[in-house]
Amino acid sequence: GDPKVPVLYEVERTRTGKSFSVRSVKAIQHGKPIFTCQASFQLSQASPVQHQYTMPAVPPPEELLTQEELIQKFLQNPNLAEGYRKHLTKIQAEDVPIDIKPVNPPDIFSSEPREPKLLFWVRARGYIGETDMKVHCCVAAYISDYAFLGTALLPHRQYRIKFMVSLDHSMWFHAPFRADHWMLYECESPWAGGCRGLVQGRLWRRDGVLAVTCTQEGVIRVEQTPNQSKL
C-alpha cells in the first residue's frame, strides 16, 4: 500500500447469525485491492468444553536482555565484519513500537542450522490501558507479524535473504489480554518449500493462559550462494 493515498474499505456482510457473524473487507487504493480480510465475531458464551496446550517453561522477561541490548553486545565485538555491523546498526536505528526479549536468541556469528522454533517475550511500548479489547487485538495483530516468518529460515541460515513477505496471516483470539503487558510468543515452522514457508505461533499471557493463535504463509526467496562468515 501507499501511505500517502487514502484507503477505501468495502465491507460485505457475509453472514449475520444469533451468536456468530462474518464480515469480509476489501482495502482499495488506485482502484485495485491491496488487502482482503475476513473477520468472524462471536457473542461471549460459556462452555464446559475447554482445554489448551501448556505454556513453555522459560525465564521471565525481567531476566532477559532486550533485542537492542543484544545488538549492542554484538556491535562491541571488534571482529564483526563491517557489512554485518552496518546491518545491525540499521536495525538498531529502526523505531519499532514493540519491546522484544528473545528467550533463545540465535548466534549471529554462526550459520549453523537451528530447529525452526523461536521464543520471545513481546509487548507494545507505552501504555494502552483498560480500553476496548478490539484495540488490544489490533496491536496484537501488529506484534504477531514481527519476526514471525523468519522462524522458517532458522534451518537455512547459510543463505542470504533476497525477498520475504507474508501471503496470508490468520489469527484466533481465545481469551482477554493486554497488548502492553508482556506475553510469550511461541513460534514454529512445520514446513518450508517451493519458495514458501509456513509458520505457526501462540501468544501466551504471563499467567499461562493461551490468548492468541496465529498462522502465516509467506514467500521466501534466498540467494543460492551461502553466506560468508560474519567474523
Side-chain angles (χ1 to χ4, degrees):
D2 186 347
K4 298 179 182 179
V5 177
V7 180
L8 173 65
Y9 293 98
E10 290 186 356
V11 181
E12 177 186 347
R13 296 175 178 267
T14 310
R15 181 178 184 273
T16 301
K18 293 182 179 180
S19 56
F20 290 89
S21 295
V22 180
R23 298 291 183 266
S24 299
V25 183
K26 183 187 297 183
I28 300 172
Q29 278 186 335
H30 302 294
K32 297 180 180 179
I34 61 170
F35 171 83
T36 58
C37 169
Q38 181 165 293
S40 299
F41 304 91
Q42 178 195 8
L43 291 175
S44 180
Q45 294 175 297
S47 171
V49 181
Q50 296 186 39
H51 74 269
Q52 66 165 47
Y53 283 172
T54 301
M55 178 178 173
V58 299
E62 291 78 15
E63 297 180 6
L64 300 171
L65 297 177
T66 64
Q67 179 171 272
E68 289 84 355
E69 291 169 335
L70 287 167
I71 290 176
Q72 189 59 40
K73 184 178 178 181
F74 293 141
L75 290 174
Q76 291 174 357
N77 189 322
N79 298 318
L80 182 66
E82 187 60 29
Y84 289 96
R85 186 176 299 278
K86 290 181 179 179
H87 178 64
L88 290 175
T89 302
K90 181 180 179 181
I91 295 175
Q92 194 177 41
E94 292 177 353
D95 186 18
V96 179
I98 310 170
D99 286 324
I100 304 166
K101 291 194 173 186
V103 174
N104 51 349
D107 183 358
I108 68 164
F109 301 111
S110 172
S111 59
E112 290 296 317
R114 283 188 50 179
E115 186 179 13
K117 292 187 177 183
L118 276 178
L119 288 164
F120 49 98
W121 291 98
V122 290
R123 69 178 179 187
R125 286 181 175 167
Y127 177 78
I128 298 176
E130 297 287 352
T131 183
D132 192 317
M133 188 60 207
K134 290 190 289 291
V135 175
H136 289 282
C137 290
C138 290
V139 175
Y142 181 92
I143 290 175
S144 69
D145 190 48
Y146 192 83
F148 196 18
L149 191 56
T151 310
L153 283 169
L154 291 176
H156 316 284
R157 302 178 65 206
Q158 71 272 30
Y159 297 107
R160 188 187 301 275
I161 303 170
K162 290 175 59 179
F163 181 76
M164 185 168 67
V165 66
S166 169
L167 289 172
D168 301 287
H169 190 97
S170 300
M171 301 181 71
W172 293 265
F173 298 95
H174 311 306
F177 61 91
R178 286 273 300 269
D180 54 350
H181 287 180
W182 286 115
M183 292 188 290
L184 180 68
Y185 199 11
E186 179 187 10
C187 306
E188 58 186 2
S189 174
W191 176 88
C195 293
R196 291 178 293 131
L198 180 67
V199 287
Q200 299 168 339
R202 289 179 281 273
L203 276 167
W204 299 89
R205 295 189 334 206
R206 291 194 66 164
D207 59 1
V209 172
L210 179 58
V212 186
T213 296
C214 313
T215 301
Q216 184 179 99
E217 185 183 44
V219 176
I220 300 176
R221 302 189 191 280
V222 299
E223 294 181 0
Q224 296 299 317
T225 303
N227 285 332
Q228 296 180 351
S229 171
K230 301 175 179 62
L231 295 175

